[in-house]
Amino acid sequence: VKFKPIEIGDVISYVSKTTGLKLNSKIATILHKATDGKSHAGNFRVVKRALYSLIQIANAEGPDSNGSYTITEEMAKLAVKNGLSGR
């Protein structure tokens, strides 16, 4: 079975369906760019690890006054860094 690389739309859909979070395209692009590179080009597992880290970061920050979680670019970049290092 040959799989095609994950795309930005796949990232947005995956995050929404698994966490209920609504990512803007900028944040989704940061997560998607984690799949750049020879050894993990388009690899879903890289996005999954980054998402786990992003959820931990968001939970540490806590929800806003409306009970929603705000995901920032800095949070996404840190999550990607953690995800790529296996943290």
Side-chain angles (χ1 to χ4, degrees), residues 13-70:
S13 178
Y14 173 69
V15 171
S16 176
K17 288 179 181 179
T18 59
T19 67
L21 293 173
K22 305 288 186 218
L23 296 185
N24 64 40
S25 61
K26 199 172 235 182
I27 302 297
T29 299
I30 291 169
L31 295 178
H32 182 262
K33 281 189 178 184
T35 68
D36 288 350
K38 232 177 208 177
S39 64
H40 48 266
N43 192 325
F44 170 77
R45 292 172 291 182
V46 174
V47 173
K48 185 176 96 170
R49 286 194 308 262
L51 179 59
Y52 285 155
S53 181
L54 184 61
I55 295 303
Q56 290 176 330
I57 294 166
N59 283 335
E61 290 289 322
D64 62 18
S65 60
N66 296 327
S68 299
Y69 289 86
T70 301

Side-chain angles (χ1 to χ4, degrees), residues 1-7 10 40-45:
V1 175
K2 191 170 186 174
F3 296 98
K4 67 178 190 170
I6 193 170
E7 297 176 0
D10 300 325
H40 48 266
N43 192 325
F44 170 77
R45 292 172 291 182

Side-chain angles (χ1 to χ4, degrees), residues 24 27 30 54 57 70-78:
N24 64 40
I27 302 297
I30 291 169
L54 184 61
I57 294 166
T70 301
I71 306 297
T72 66
E73 289 181 45
E74 293 77 26
M75 292 166 72
K77 288 175 184 176
L78 180 59

